[in-house]
Amino acid sequence: MAVFLYFVVTLLSALGAWLYPPVRHLTTILGFRPFESLTNVYGVETHFIPDTAACEDLEYHASSGMLYTACVGELERARTWMPGAGVLERPDRPPFGALVVIDPTTLKSQKLTLENFEGPFSTHGIGLYTPPSKPDVVYVFAINHLPNPRWTPGSKTEEKAASQIELFVHTVGSSTARHLRTIVHPLIRTPNDLLAISENEFLATNDHHYRDGVGRLLEEFVHWTSWTDLVHVRFNDESVDVAVALDVIPTNNGLGWGPDQQVIVSDAAGGHVYFASLPSPENRTMTVSHYIPIDCVVDNANYFTDPYAGVDGKDYSGYIMPGLADATQFLRGYGDPEFKAPISGEVWYLPAIAGKNKDIDGKKLRKLIFRDDGHTIRSVTTAVIVAIDPSKNEGKREGWLFVTSVIGAQMLATRIDFETALV
C-alpha cells in the first residue's frame, strides 16, 4: 500500500508540475506532448525550391518582390561544421556557401556569383538594407562562421570558430554580389541573425556564450538568466564600433522588423517572441515592451505585411514564428550521416495586434499554420509569407509560405488560404 501511495503521489506531483504553465511550456518545446495530436499541417499545394540545401535564414525584399537567403549548399559540410548549431567537428572542412535569390512567383532560385570573395563561407543569418533612393540596390549582411586558424586541439584560450560578418552589395536582377568588406569585433562572438539598419549599421544576436560542450547545454536548459546579448554595430572605413544594446533575453536568436520600426527578437530555447525598440541614439540601449510564449523553439521570427489589406477590408498582417517542435530531436538527429533522422518543425502566426498591444493575451491569438513531422523538411528555422495578388488569383486571398531548414535538402513552399490559415 505504501509503495502504491508513493507512486500515486509521485504521479500527481509530476502531473501538477506539468500543468503549471511555465513547466508545461518548457516540456512542450522538449517534445513532451501527451495530449496533443501531432498531425502534419500544410497548405493546399506544396513545392520544393531547387538548389537550396541547408539555408538557415530567409529575407523578403519588398521593393523587388524577391527572396534572399544564404545556403551552405552541401549537407555533409553542414552536418559537420555549423557553429550556430553547436557542431564543430570538422574545422578542416568548412563550407563554401552562397547567396541565393528566389523568385516567389516562379519558385525558381538563382545562385549569385560572389565577386572579390573566395571563402570559406559558412552561412547562417543574413540582413538586407536598401537605400530609399536606390530601390534596386541591396546591401547583404551575412554571418560567416569561419574556423579559427589559431585554435589547436590542446588550446585552452582559443575557440574553434572565429565568426565574422561579410558585407556584399547586389543589384536587383543581376547574377552577382560584390564583397565590400569583413566586419570583425570581440563583441561579435556567436552571431546568429542580423538586422540591417543602414549600409553601415546593424544589430546582431549572440545566441550563446559557450560554443559547445556542457556550458552550451546549460544555457539552453537553465533558462532563468541570460548569458547572451544583442549588439549594435556601427562601422566606417577606419573603425568598427560595437555596444551591447540588450542583455535580458536568454538564447536570443532571430531578428526581424515589426511595424513602425519595432524589433522582433526570438528567445529560441525558451520558446518566446519579444517585442523591442530600436537602440536609443543616446546610450544605444533597447527596451522590451512585452513577450509572448510560443509552443516551439522560436527561431527567426518576422512580420508579414499584408499588401492587399484594402482589397476586401481584411488585413492579415501578423507575426510569423518558425522553429523546432521537439528540441531533443534536433540534438539527436542533426548529425545523422544519412540525413533521414526526423527533426519536426512548426510555424505559428500571431495577428498584428498581439505585438502592438501588450495588454492583449497573445497566447489566445496564436495559431499553428504549418507543421511537419521532420520527414518532408528536416527542421524548421525560418518562414516567410509572400502574398499572391488577388486580381491574378480569382479574387482569393492566398499566399506562399516559404519554410527553410538549416539541415534540409531543399526549401519548401506551401500555398495557404488566408481565411482558413490566419483567422
Side-chain angles (χ1 to χ4, degrees), residues 327-403:
T328 61
Q329 277 187 333
F330 186 82
L331 295 175
R332 299 192 310 268
Y334 185 94
D336 176 21
E338 296 184 357
F339 309 103
K340 292 181 179 179
I343 305 174
S344 55
E346 297 178 340
V347 181
W348 291 75
Y349 167 83
L350 278 172
I353 188 65
K356 295 177 181 179
N357 188 342
K358 64 182 180 181
D359 297 322
I360 296 290
D361 186 354
K363 290 185 292 185
K364 295 181 179 179
L365 299 179
R366 61 192 183 181
K367 184 170 184 180
L368 181 69
I369 62 173
F370 176 87
R371 173 187 282 149
D372 183 78
D373 59 12
H375 290 92
T376 302
I377 181 167
R378 294 184 68 235
S379 87
V380 170
T381 49
T382 309
V384 172
I385 292 178
V386 179
I388 299 171
D389 186 346
S391 67
K392 302 177 182 178
N393 194 38
E394 301 176 345
K396 292 182 289 187
R397 298 298 308 280
E398 294 181 327
W400 286 102
L401 175 69
F402 292 86
V403 182

Side-chain angles (χ1 to χ4, degrees), residues 68 101 112 136-139 169-178:
Y68 287 76
V101 181
L112 299 181
D136 62 339
V137 173
V138 185
Y139 290 93
V169 64
H170 164 73
T171 300
V172 174
S174 74
S175 60
T176 64
R178 180 166 53 89

